[in-house]
Amino acid sequence: MPAVAEMLKATEAAVVSRVSLRDVNRVIDERILPDAFVSVDNGRHVLAGACSFISFYFESAKRLTPEERLFAIRTFEPKLARARSLAWTALLKEDWTMRDDFLTIDLAPFLKSASERLSDLSAARELVTTSQDILGGTPVIKGTRVPVYDVAASVSAGHTVERILEAYPGIDAGKVRLATIYADANPPRGRPRAATDLPEGSVIIRDHRVPRLRKAG
């Protein structure tokens, strides 16, 4: 699993925090996240442990005011800064409860969720490999020639897991889930694949063609 102190790309932070990339950019631009947990020197990066702050900020929006959420983050900031060297298991054993008059906030559930998503991200990284000898360096699922972005695109298109597994018999449901995580954390560059293209290695389950209508006269 990525360490608490690892700096994640903005797209990775969005996956771990379960928010959009736009939300991650917002917490950076509006300085909702403390500067100590953000880097913009060579692309935007966020401290892995601070993804719990991002999740908390957006998930608690219906119950807490912006001022209360910012106050909580500023209160927890020194504690997370001191805990950067800890392993996630040790971090989760800490008391992450904040009390201020009538307001009580427990950050532990958000830290636990972030640690679980980081584990998924780590597994997704391990799942994917690239080699010039396999599809010219296209990222594929290890041990196969299945392009990871094709699997993720099938999920985005609304295909069921069962149908995807029929098209790619070399993978299982767990790898389908991790493929989507990898693709979300590492969006492909360039133009997306045309909707009419079939992913390499796929199997046509059914081919139903509709005759084109002739123009009258």
Side-chain angles (χ1 to χ4, degrees), residues 7 19 59 123 132 134 208 212-213:
M7 299 301 287
V19 300
E59 289 185 28
Q132 288 300 318
I134 302 177
H208 177 66
R212 181 177 298 176
L213 296 177

Side-chain angles (χ1 to χ4, degrees), residues 35-65:
D35 291 343
F37 302 150
V38 174
S39 173
V40 294
D41 292 335
N42 186 24
R44 295 188 162 202
H45 293 78
V46 174
L47 185 83
C51 288
S52 57
F53 287 1
I54 301 175
S55 298
F56 162 75
Y57 186 83
F58 289 105
E59 289 185 28
S60 62
K62 292 183 178 180
R63 297 186 179 184
L64 301 174
T65 65

Side-chain angles (χ1 to χ4, degrees), residues 94 130 153:
E94 297 281 317
T130 58

Side-chain angles (χ1 to χ4, degrees), residues 13-205:
V15 168
V16 173
S17 306
R18 295 181 183 271
V19 300
S20 67
L21 178 59
R22 180 179 179 180
D23 287 336
V24 172
N25 286 325
R26 178 186 166 191
V27 298
I28 295 174
D29 292 335
E30 298 181 11
R31 307 188 78 172
I32 293 170
L33 276 185
D35 291 343
F37 302 150
V38 174
S39 173
V40 294
D41 292 335
N42 186 24
R44 295 188 162 202
H45 293 78
V46 174
L47 185 83
C51 288
S52 57
F53 287 1
I54 301 175
S55 298
F56 162 75
Y57 186 83
F58 289 105
E59 289 185 28
S60 62
K62 292 183 178 180
R63 297 186 179 184
L64 301 174
T65 65
E67 291 76 14
E68 289 171 332
R69 287 177 280 155
L70 285 173
F71 176 75
I73 289 174
R74 296 298 177 263
T75 300
F76 287 122
E77 176 185 355
K79 186 177 182 68
L80 182 60
R82 291 192 299 270
R84 292 175 70 147
S85 60
L86 294 179
W88 274 100
T89 51
L91 188 76
L92 294 174
K93 292 179 181 179
E94 297 281 317
D95 180 11
W96 291 93
T97 305
M98 183 206 81
R99 296 178 178 84
D100 182 66
D101 293 335
F102 63 88
L103 182 64
T104 300
I105 295 174
D106 184 7
L107 194 68
F110 300 97
L111 284 161
K112 185 174 184 296
S113 177
S115 71
E116 291 170 349
R117 291 289 283 180
L118 279 165
S119 292
D120 287 341
L121 177 62
S122 180
R125 289 172 174 174
E126 290 295 321
L127 176 73
V128 179
T129 186
T130 58
S131 171
Q132 288 300 318
D133 296 331
I134 302 177
L135 303 182
T138 298
V140 298
I141 294 175
K142 279 185 180 178
T144 75
R145 295 175 64 85
V146 178
V148 66
Y149 291 114
D150 285 354
V151 175
S154 296
V155 174
S156 297
H159 298 313
T160 65
V161 173
E162 291 74 16
R163 182 176 178 183
I164 294 171
L165 296 183
E166 286 185 39
Y168 302 110
I171 63 176
D172 55 32
K175 291 179 179 178
V176 172
R177 185 179 72 87
L178 292 177
T180 62
I181 291 174
Y182 181 90
D184 287 342
N186 303 275
R189 296 181 179 180
R191 298 178 62 183
R193 176 187 292 274
T196 54
D197 288 348
L198 282 174
E200 181 168 339
S202 65
V203 177
I204 297 177
I205 300 172

